[in-house]
Amino acid sequence: MLLNRIRGVPLWLSASVISALNAFVFGMDTGTIGSVTTMSSFRNTFGELHPTVHGLVVSSILLPGAITALIAGVLADHYGRTRMIAIGSTIFGIGATLETSAHWLAMFIVGRVMKGVGEGIFLSTVYVHVCEISPARIRGVMTSVVQFLITLGLVFGYFMCYGTSRYEESLSWRLPIAIQAFIAFSNAAACSLLPQSPRWLQARGRPAEAKRIIGQLGLEDAEQMELLSQSGGTLSHSPNLPFWQSLKMTGRDFREAFAAPSRGRTIFGCFLMAMQQFSGIDGVLYYAPILLQQAGISSENATFLASGVSALVIMVVTIPATLLADSWGRRTSTLVGGVLISTLMLIMGSLYAAGEVHANDGAARWVVIVCIYLFAGVFSATWAIGFRAFLIESLPRKTRSSAASLGQSCNWLANFVVALTTPVFVSTSTYGAYFFFASCSILCTVVSAIYMFETRGHTLEHIEQSYSEKQGISTSIWELSAKGFGLRKNESSAPTVVVHTLDPRTAV
């Protein structure tokens, strides 16, 4: 394997980075679409866009992504992680090519729909692949590398649009999207260098290949032994099934993800991924030029530059947050981030509601601008990293791909709602969107405080074993007395003392 020839770099590291590079174009699209659709050259090509049409153009990538994400797990289990990542990036590149060459708005939207299909296939699969080949001790860091590359793509997209906005005619908006197409095709080609997940190979009944790759990855001896001791056959899709028959099995996989004993983890994971978007992050990222213009930054170039600064803030914050991802844990970052995110949204909404924000003078507009930057930074350091890592870590191997796809689909459905409605929200009410996002963030923080447990530092197999022990051990049964509504112990069940690795007060 070519990647094994890189001296001093373990295979798990080089493969994880190359796999994560596929997510770079996801960040690029997020960073370019808001700026592209507000360029005067874009309006000259397609005409002035009503807020509803503007929201439709931006959000058209998300609904097909959400639908495709529902089958991405089934496809990844059937055909392998690396193959589906390559296919997803290829479809994304084709969609970006259609966007670049569009002369009618309908053609541009079709291109975005295709990009959404590609994203739905590769994005959640990238997270699963990186998670399954990384060492347990720094799995959170490696999973966060995917988020960092999304952030890097976001920065690249914003400043690329800032640079091309000076060009004449339609080249100013076509060039950023053409570069997306080139990178997507390059990523697809690079997938030929990646090793398959050894966990997937074991589940497919290919232990010899799994053993070979486990030996090449460069994992510690104890973790290699634990991986080799895992039995195969926990995934239900036979590689010999026809393509369409494997798609028909999607419903069964989702039913299994929502059946005991995985139901609670699946539902909570979907809730977290939806609330991640209802915090308002992509409302800010997609429409940063509009929000900053509303706060008082008037010129087109200035809003692009200010949007790029917000992306730089995200990237700068993401670097230490990525390195510290396995130091302060998923639960702590969720609760701290939730409190700060909610507070910042309430501050911005309150200033607009009180009529204190004026475009030409006053300190309130600068408070709003700083809060937008702080919100983007806090989110990227906490919820952006912790939620996805927790989702993958908390799911059992048998339903990991399918349930992760459900979570990603919920994330994009929520994102679709946010992207579609934010322009209308902002055009009709200066403060309504901020209060809505604050309410959703508060709800998520409270629910997480009750149900989220800590997965930091445990192998995926250890987490699953802890769940199995919790669900398989019979504890004392308490019944509600019909008379007096008092609690009484069932004498037929002897008390059992159980020591849990996961905190039972917060387990789902």
Side-chain angles (χ1 to χ4, degrees):
M1 184 173 291
L2 182 62
L3 294 182
N4 263 338
R5 300 177 185 175
I6 304 176
R7 292 184 178 180
V9 180
L11 179 59
W12 63 260
L13 178 58
S14 56
S16 294
V17 172
I18 291 177
S19 182
L21 278 171
N22 288 271
F24 181 80
V25 292
F26 177 80
M28 279 188 66
D29 179 80
T30 303
T32 57
I33 188 60
S35 299
V36 159
T37 53
T38 56
M39 287 181 180
S40 55
S41 59
F42 186 87
R43 295 194 297 271
N44 291 338
T45 303
F46 299 113
E48 196 72 33
L49 301 182
H50 185 274
T52 303
V53 177
H54 189 186
L56 179 62
V57 170
V58 172
S59 64
S60 57
I61 195 173
L62 299 168
L63 195 57
I67 295 172
T68 310
L70 290 173
I71 63 171
V74 176
L75 295 176
D77 281 347
H78 187 74
Y79 296 108
R81 305 345 185 184
T82 57
R83 182 179 298 178
M84 295 316 302
I85 293 171
I87 291 174
S89 290
T90 300
I91 295 173
F92 182 97
I94 294 172
T97 302
L98 285 176
E99 278 185 301
T100 303
S101 57
H103 290 279
W104 303 277
L105 189 60
M107 184 176 177
F108 187 85
I109 293 175
V110 169
R112 289 194 60 74
V113 169
M114 287 199 67
K115 287 169 71 174
V117 172
E119 285 182 355
I121 292 173
F122 75 69
L123 191 59
S124 61
T125 311
V126 164
Y127 277 99
V128 171
H129 184 249
V130 171
C131 190
E132 290 187 341
I133 66 174
S134 300
R137 58 185 173 83
I138 58 169
R139 187 178 57 242
V141 173
M142 295 313 301
T143 305
S144 301
V145 168
V146 183
Q147 181 61 35
F148 174 74
L149 286 170
I150 291 175
T151 303
L152 190 61
L154 182 70
V155 173
F156 191 75
Y158 275 132
F159 280 104
M160 185 168 52
C161 288
Y162 174 67
T164 62
S165 64
R166 305 170 186 271
Y167 295 160
E168 296 181 358
E169 299 181 350
S170 64
L171 180 64
S172 60
W173 68 263
R174 293 184 193 273
L175 183 57
I177 304 175
I179 293 174
Q180 289 179 41
F182 173 78
I183 295 176
F185 288 132
S186 300
N187 286 338
C191 285
S192 62
L193 304 175
L194 297 177
Q196 275 291 3
S197 162
R199 291 176 168 92
W200 179 80
L201 289 171
Q202 285 177 312
R204 293 264 60 88
R206 293 152 65 179
E209 292 178 63
K211 183 178 180 179
R212 176 176 56 82
I213 290 178
I214 289 171
Q216 293 175 342
L217 284 175
L219 304 175
E220 294 179 354
D221 292 342
E223 190 163 356
Q224 287 192 40
M225 293 299 296
E226 185 173 2
L227 274 173
L228 290 171
S229 66
Q230 301 299 311
S231 60
T234 57
L235 296 179
S236 56
H237 297 101
S238 170
N240 299 318
L241 284 178
F243 174 76
W244 291 110
Q245 188 173 347
S246 67
L247 290 183
K248 292 178 181 179
M249 298 175 69
T250 303
R252 190 194 68 184
D253 290 321
F254 291 157
R255 286 194 299 271
E256 187 171 9
F258 282 107
S262 306
R263 182 189 303 114
R265 283 178 275 178
T266 302
I267 293 174
F268 186 56
C270 291
F271 171 80
L272 288 179
M273 296 305 290
M275 288 298 107
Q276 188 185 57
Q277 291 303 327
F278 283 129
S279 69
I281 182 59
D282 274 356
V284 170
L285 296 181
Y286 281 137
Y287 302 110
I290 295 176
L291 297 178
L292 292 168
Q293 188 175 39
Q294 186 186 53
I297 299 179
S298 55
S299 72
E300 181 178 284
N301 285 342
T303 58
F304 292 165
L305 179 60
S307 300
V309 172
S310 69
L312 277 177
V313 169
I314 292 174
M315 187 180 71
V316 169
V317 168
T318 301
I319 294 173
T322 297
L323 297 175
L324 296 173
D326 281 328
S327 297
W328 67 328
R330 322 297 185 237
R331 190 171 188 271
T332 302
S333 66
T334 297
L335 299 184
V336 172
V339 170
L340 294 176
I341 287 169
S342 303
T343 301
L344 291 168
M345 281 295 180
L346 287 173
I347 290 173
M348 289 187 282
S350 298
L351 288 174
Y352 276 114
E356 297 294 329
V357 182
H358 305 289
N360 299 320
D361 55 35
R365 64 174 180 152
W366 295 111
V367 173
V368 169
I369 293 172
V370 170
C371 283
I372 289 175
Y373 290 159
L374 288 175
F375 166 79
V378 170
F379 178 91
S380 299
T382 56
W383 284 18
I385 292 175
F387 279 17
R388 292 185 185 275
F390 176 84
L391 175 70
I392 302 299
E393 291 170 338
S394 64
L395 297 172
R397 179 170 61 170
K398 190 171 184 179
T399 62
R400 186 174 297 138
S401 286
S402 297
S405 298
L406 282 168
Q408 185 62 55
S409 182
C410 289
N411 181 273
W412 279 350
L413 283 172
N415 197 351
F416 173 77
V417 174
V418 170
L420 181 64
T421 59
T422 296
V424 180
F425 236 146
V426 171
S427 65
T428 56
S429 171
T430 57
Y431 56 85
Y434 295 103
F435 283 145
F436 172 77
F437 296 144
S439 301
C440 292
S441 300
I442 292 171
L443 173 63
C444 183
T445 304
V446 172
V447 173
S448 297
I450 298 171
Y451 291 109
M452 181 174 273
F453 55 89
E454 188 54 69
T455 58
R456 174 177 61 95
H458 301 296
T459 66
L460 301 180
E461 288 73 22
H462 183 78
I463 294 170
E464 179 60 21
Q465 183 182 1
S466 298
Y467 268 117
S468 299
E469 289 176 354
K470 179 179 182 297
Q471 291 156 352
I473 296 176
S474 176
T475 58
S476 299
I477 300 173
W478 295 87
E479 296 179 347
L480 186 64
S481 173
K483 296 182 180 180
F485 297 94
L487 285 174
R488 66 180 179 87
K489 188 176 176 182
N490 187 336
E491 302 298 336
S492 64
S493 180
T496 304
V497 178
V498 182
V499 179
H500 293 284
T501 303
L502 303 179
D503 186 355
R505 296 171 300 171
T506 55
V508 179

